[in-house]
Amino acid sequence: MKLKVNGLTFSYENRKILDNLEFSVKEGEFVSLLGPSGSGKSTILKLLTGVLVPEGGQITVDGRDIGGMTELFAYMPQNDLLFPWKTILENVCLYGYVHGSLEAVRREAKENFPLFGLSGYEDRYPSELSGGMRQRAAFLRTALCRADILLLDEPFGALDVITRGEMQDWLITMRRKLNRTVVLVTHDMDEAIYLSDRILILNESPGRIVGELVIEEKERGREWLYGQGELRKEIHSRIMAGSGKGTGD
């Protein structure tokens, strides 16, 4: 198992956010965390990266205990966080600046600009790019980190609905080429259905996994997604049950 979380517990200001959280992710798997607001989805990613410290529990990668910050995870937040005074090439090479491998990262970045739809924009500034292009640049910056596991925290949540759909289509293609293990936090049921191998459903705080859905379809497109009404209904029912509000039936 690539990533395993056992008994993870975390509180903030005397309020328990996560309680005995357990889940696992296989090598190369794309797993989405879906649940109501306040269920601790983003907190989970911050605990994995080491930004937050759990009260209890265990995080292992490839069978090794993980504690504190580590290069095993690369984190991508909702906002692109590109430095406006730096070019796109300079922005995506941040890992190289920090870790003293700038020339190697620059070479790899230039090789990947066409793959990420950014060819010709190496010397442009963030203000000259569309929202979708900025997110692709942020994704390239994340992918250039020497990390086994990508943590995506609602990476398309700030985009308009058309651009968000385009970015989801792009990510469907990219995941085959990147061949990374991915954990995605999202509020968007369609996004989770479209992108994931598995969807893990959290209940309302304190967060625990209360449901799991496996998406078997390998060849996905918009027409397939539009036909997933029953799956969407099941996910909604489980989220509402986890929130304690019931389904209204």
Side-chain angles (χ1 to χ4, degrees):
M1 195 61 66
K2 187 65 179 178
L3 169 65
K4 195 167 182 62
V5 172
N6 285 313
L8 204 63
T9 302
F10 180 78
S11 298
Y12 178 71
E13 293 184 346
N14 297 319
R15 183 171 73 91
K16 187 156 283 189
I17 307 299
L18 301 171
D19 183 25
N20 198 33
L21 180 78
E22 299 195 359
F23 69 92
S24 58
V25 183
K26 298 174 185 175
E27 177 85 39
E29 192 176 25
F30 195 119
V31 171
S32 288
L33 301 176
L34 194 63
S37 295
S39 57
K41 299 184 296 298
S42 294
T43 298
I44 293 169
L45 298 192
K46 291 173 183 175
L47 288 166
L48 292 176
T49 61
V51 172
L52 296 177
V53 178
E55 293 175 4
Q58 183 183 44
I59 299 168
T60 62
V61 175
D62 294 326
R64 293 183 292 123
D65 286 353
I66 301 300
M69 294 189 181
T70 169
E71 292 186 19
L72 293 170
F73 299 100
Y75 176 72
M76 180 177 171
Q78 183 179 72
N79 298 318
D80 58 67
L81 301 181
L82 299 176
F83 295 118
W85 60 89
K86 289 185 177 291
T87 67
I88 299 305
L89 180 59
E90 290 170 336
N91 267 287
V92 303
C93 292
L94 181 62
Y95 180 90
Y97 283 105
V98 173
H99 294 278
S101 55
L102 180 57
E103 287 308 310
V105 173
R106 279 175 65 90
R107 285 194 299 271
E108 188 176 354
K110 289 179 178 179
E111 291 171 2
N112 279 281
F113 262 71
L115 180 62
F116 281 74
L118 295 168
S119 185
Y121 289 87
E122 293 85 346
D123 298 321
R124 300 288 188 91
Y125 289 87
S127 61
E128 299 178 83
L129 273 63
S130 67
M133 293 181 76
R134 288 170 62 107
Q135 285 303 97
R136 289 202 296 273
F139 202 99
L140 175 54
R141 179 184 59 198
T142 303
L144 287 170
C145 296
R146 303 291 186 252
D148 292 345
I149 304 170
L150 304 184
L151 306 176
L152 311 181
D153 194 353
E154 298 198 70
F156 311 138
L159 302 175
D160 65 84
V161 66
I162 299 298
T163 306
R164 185 163 65 243
E166 292 172 347
M167 290 299 297
Q168 292 163 356
D169 292 340
W170 171 80
L171 185 52
I172 281 278
T173 303
M174 283 302 302
R175 66 163 297 197
R176 301 189 188 105
K177 298 175 180 177
L178 286 172
N179 193 29
R180 301 279 190 94
T181 304
V182 180
V183 179
L184 168 72
V185 160
T186 181
H187 282 95
D188 188 332
M189 283 191 290
D190 282 350
E191 184 168 82
I193 292 169
Y194 195 37
L195 297 176
S196 307
D197 297 314
R198 278 190 301 136
I199 299 171
L200 302 179
I201 298 172
L202 285 85
N203 65 335
E204 205 163 38
S205 181
R208 291 186 299 272
I209 304 297
V210 293
E212 173 182 308
L213 293 165
V214 178
I215 312 298
E216 300 284 0
E217 182 63 42
K218 300 302 180 186
E219 298 300 323
R220 304 177 193 179
R222 288 288 159 181
E223 288 303 318
W224 171 83
L225 179 61
Y226 298 151
Q228 300 309 303
E230 287 301 314
L231 182 54
R232 196 176 295 110
K233 182 178 179 181
E234 181 178 358
I235 292 171
H236 181 265
S237 176
R238 293 195 185 195
I239 290 174
M240 294 304 291
S243 71
K245 298 175 182 176
T247 61
D249 292 332

